[in-house]
Amino acid sequence: MRVPQFFFKCTHVARSYTLHRSLPDFNNKVMEETASSGSTDVKCDVCIGLKRKAEQACLECVSSYCEIHLDLHNTLHVGKRHRLVEANETLQEKICPHHDKLQEVYCRTDQQCICHLCITDNHRGHDVIAMEKEVIDKQLKLGELQKQTTDTIQAMEKDVQELRQAVETLVQEALKKSERSFTVLIESMKDNQRKVTELIQGQTDAAERQAEEFAETLQQEINKLKDIDAKLQYLELLSHSNNDVRFLENTVHMPSLNAYKKCFTLLEHPYCSFDRATEAVTELITKLNIISQWSLLTISGRVKTTRIVTSPPPKTREDFLQYATKLTFNTNTAHTSLRLSDEDRKVTASHPNEDYPEHTERFDSRAQILCNEALTGSPHYWEAEFGGGLGWVCIAVSYKEICRKGKRAPHFGRNSHSWGLRSYGFMSEFWYNNKMVNCKGQSWCYRIGVYLHHNAGILAFYNVSDNMSLIHKTQTMFSEPVYPGFGMGGKRCYLRICDQVKS
């Protein structure tokens, strides 16, 4: 432990200092009282052996004193302005480790507390200020930061609450709309059911009336036959009565009967029965089930691609680089007029053509190439640098099934399976589904950044050469993963996939 300079001063003065008690007696008393005192957090720096509890500390002498040595300190420095404070363990933290002086000033240049001797030593010419003033400044800044932190927390908590309420409201509204739509569909089906039921019931009533007419006619014939049958039964009785005269006289008006013929026919032809209506209903159900299944797939796809909340788009290149995606050329797709180099990260328009082997994935009519990476989900970002001779380059994304063979194989952006930005350096065109949009107001460009947010359906192109100015942005809906692609037209043109690092 470092022995305070004051100890040497007080031992030197004590030789000539006359007290009512001798110095040995004084030291004996110190030892006796020290032996009886317990351990404390702060000890006297002057006591020898067991340390007594320090009562106060002197900022000038940089030492802590017990009650006895404090009296001696005050006697030796009577009339001098030594600042005394309550003894605590942090005293050593206030002492300069280089000069054993109290640190009373603050160096703003080096952001540290120093003593006055440090000003002329290691901190010469630095911006220094009294520690009290710096404390006040830092307290003001601290108060501002605390207020800012509190305000920010409150704003964030408010945003969280509003976000949750907004999402809940949107979800509930979507569910209500869906329920209303299905309710309308169900009511429509019920209405059709009622109409079909009424049609069947109408036809049934007509059939019942017609059948009742035939039944009444038959009933009248039955009644006539019953009368005839009664007369015949009477004649039969007479025939057994041994009165042949009377029997023969009654048989003079014997009734005659015609052969019975049905006056109606029950139709069993398949085209004249209710089975046709039943079959039509069954056919309707089958068609509705098919339509419902296809519609459910469409609805499911749209629901899955629905985005209620998304991250704000990047603004600076540093923001874009957070989504940097490493790309590699798929050499099996390269057209023979494209020469690969720079570890397959650069393509150049070649003449004569390269001797690539045949491959099912290779473009054979357009100078185009795809990358290996299938991109989907969260945001992606990549950059491409181009130059060389006169001509153009196309930076694109494409579905895997894009046509690659024959004269009908399109350039990127000339069909519904790809999106492409064709750049001439000083101007650009965006192509999709064989429709072109001129990108106006563009400055010279030799490096383009591509931002893709597959889930949100965002595809944007930026001029990295011009501080990330937007060239073109499109909002679409991707139904499957997309592959970065590149194309070019012209001699000696080249394009290179860049390493996404801060320039």
Side-chain angles (χ1 to χ4, degrees):
M1 184 183 68
R2 181 178 60 85
V3 180
Q5 295 180 359
F6 167 73
F7 176 75
F8 299 103
K9 294 178 182 179
C10 77
T11 52
H12 173 73
V13 177
R15 294 173 183 174
S16 58
Y17 183 62
T18 304
L19 296 172
H20 293 291
R21 51 194 175 184
S22 61
L23 187 56
D25 294 336
F26 169 75
N27 288 333
N28 289 336
K29 184 177 181 181
V30 169
M31 295 295 293
E32 291 175 358
E33 295 183 2
T34 301
S36 62
S37 65
S39 61
T40 59
D41 292 336
V42 181
K43 308 291 185 180
C44 176
D45 290 328
V46 183
C47 289
I48 301 174
L50 294 176
K51 299 291 188 179
R52 288 172 55 87
K53 177 183 177 182
E55 299 293 338
Q56 286 188 311
C58 178
L59 297 181
E60 299 296 327
C61 300
V62 195
S63 296
S64 299
Y65 304 109
C66 63
E67 182 179 0
I68 296 174
H69 288 110
L70 183 61
D71 292 339
L72 180 57
H73 168 273
N74 293 338
T75 302
L76 291 174
H77 299 286
V78 63
K80 297 182 179 180
R81 294 183 178 178
H82 282 213
R83 288 178 293 174
L84 297 175
V85 296
E86 183 180 355
N88 57 67
E89 291 182 332
T90 63
L91 179 62
Q92 290 299 323
E93 297 177 3
K94 302 178 181 179
I95 306 305
C96 175
H98 304 291
H99 305 101
D100 290 332
K101 295 293 184 181
L102 185 66
Q103 295 176 337
E104 298 182 292
V105 292
Y106 184 78
C107 177
R108 288 180 170 175
T109 304
D110 295 330
Q111 297 289 301
Q112 67 181 69
C113 299
I114 60 176
C115 68
H116 286 285
L117 294 179
C118 291
I119 299 176
T120 57
D121 193 358
N122 297 328
H123 298 267
R124 185 185 299 273
H126 290 188
D127 181 15
V128 296
I129 189 174
M131 191 176 296
E132 292 80 2
K133 292 183 179 180
E134 184 66 18
V135 169
I136 294 174
D137 290 344
K138 289 293 176 66
Q139 287 175 339
L140 292 175
K141 291 181 180 178
L142 177 62
E144 293 175 357
L145 285 175
Q146 287 178 324
K147 184 179 183 302
Q148 183 179 358
T149 302
T150 302
D151 294 342
T152 303
I153 291 174
Q154 293 176 350
M156 286 183 174
E157 289 177 344
K158 182 180 178 181
D159 288 343
V160 168
Q161 184 177 3
E162 291 179 352
L163 177 62
R164 289 174 175 170
Q165 291 178 348
V167 171
E168 183 178 358
T169 300
L170 289 172
V171 171
Q172 293 299 325
E173 186 63 27
L175 292 174
K176 289 180 180 178
K177 289 181 179 179
S178 175
E179 185 176 353
R180 285 197 295 266
S181 298
F182 277 101
T183 300
V184 172
L185 177 61
I186 293 171
E187 290 298 325
S188 175
M189 297 304 299
K190 288 183 177 180
D191 184 57
N192 289 336
Q193 181 187 17
R194 285 193 295 269
K195 291 179 179 178
V196 172
T197 301
E198 290 174 358
L199 288 173
I200 294 175
Q201 190 64 49
Q203 287 299 103
T204 303
D205 294 342
E208 288 179 349
R209 287 194 298 270
Q210 189 176 12
E212 189 61 30
E213 291 177 358
F214 285 119
E216 290 178 358
T217 301
L218 289 175
Q219 189 62 48
Q220 292 174 2
E221 294 296 328
I222 291 171
N223 293 335
K224 290 179 180 180
L225 288 174
K226 285 182 178 181
D227 291 340
I228 294 173
D229 183 61
K231 290 180 180 181
L232 294 176
Q233 288 180 7
Y234 173 72
L235 291 175
E236 182 183 9
L237 290 175
L238 287 178
S239 67
H240 299 289
S241 62
N242 296 322
N243 191 347
D244 295 333
V245 175
R246 189 176 181 182
F247 170 72
L248 292 173
E249 289 177 350
N250 281 281
T251 58
V252 174
H253 302 289
M254 180 79 68
S256 61
L257 294 177
N258 296 323
Y260 172 67
K261 294 181 179 180
K262 282 187 177 182
C263 60
F264 65 92
T265 302
L266 290 175
L267 295 178
E268 297 181 357
H269 196 281
Y271 296 108
C272 299
S273 67
F274 284 115
D275 289 341
R276 294 189 65 193
T278 304
E279 290 174 0
V281 173
T282 303
E283 183 180 353
L284 175 61
I285 293 173
T286 302
K287 290 180 178 180
L288 287 177
N289 285 334
I290 295 174
I291 295 173
S292 296
Q293 292 299 324
W294 280 106
S295 299
L296 184 60
L297 289 175
T298 303
I299 294 170
S300 177
R302 293 182 179 180
V303 170
K304 289 180 179 178
T305 56
T306 299
R307 292 294 177 269
I308 298 176
V309 182
T310 185
S311 301
K315 295 182 179 179
T316 65
R317 186 164 181 262
E318 287 72 17
D319 295 338
F320 283 101
L321 291 177
Q322 296 177 8
Y323 308 107
T325 301
K326 185 177 181 180
L327 301 180
T328 55
F329 284 128
N330 183 349
T331 57
N332 292 328
T333 66
H335 188 266
T336 54
S337 66
L338 300 178
R339 184 177 69 253
L340 292 162
S341 60
D342 193 15
E343 298 181 351
D344 291 343
R345 296 183 62 81
K346 179 180 178 181
V347 290
T348 306
S350 173
H351 184 77
N353 289 359
E354 301 294 313
D355 187 19
Y356 293 140
E358 290 290 334
H359 200 281
T360 56
E361 295 184 358
R362 192 175 307 284
F363 291 97
D364 66 0
S365 62
R366 307 294 182 186
Q368 299 181 152
I369 187 172
L370 287 174
C371 290
N372 289 300
E373 291 72 24
L375 305 182
T376 184
S378 58
H380 300 274
Y381 176 76
W382 64 94
E383 294 177 355
E385 185 177 275
F386 54 91
L390 297 176
W392 52 265
V393 296
C394 183
I395 301 174
V397 295
S398 171
Y399 292 149
K400 189 174 183 178
E401 66 269 19
I402 185 174
C403 182
R404 312 181 192 194
K405 307 294 183 181
K407 294 183 179 180
R408 299 184 63 182
H411 287 288
F412 288 134
R414 297 298 183 93
N415 61 6
S416 60
H417 293 89
S418 60
W419 297 255
L421 182 79
R422 180 177 293 190
S423 177
Y424 298 86
F426 58 92
M427 63 167 290
S428 296
E429 302 168 349
F430 177 75
W431 287 85
Y432 171 64
N433 203 15
N434 207 27
K435 295 180 180 179
M436 186 266 289
V437 177
N438 277 316
C439 306
K440 300 179 181 179
Q442 178 185 338
S443 60
W444 180 262
C445 179
Y446 64 89
R447 189 166 185 165
I448 290 178
V450 184
Y451 175 76
L452 170 71
H453 196 324
H454 190 277
N455 285 349
I458 297 174
L459 177 63
F461 302 88
Y462 295 86
N463 187 348
V464 182
S465 315
D466 187 30
N467 195 26
M468 302 303 293
S469 60
L470 179 64
I471 300 174
H472 185 77
K473 178 181 179 181
T474 184
Q475 183 76 49
T476 185
M477 180 180 293
F478 299 109
S479 59
E480 58 185 90
V482 295
Y483 294 78
F486 304 92
M488 59 180 58
K491 297 181 179 179
R492 297 185 301 278
C493 291
Y494 77 87
L495 183 144
R496 184 177 73 251
I497 299 176
C498 303
D499 293 325
Q500 280 92 60
V501 295
K502 296 180 181 180
S503 58

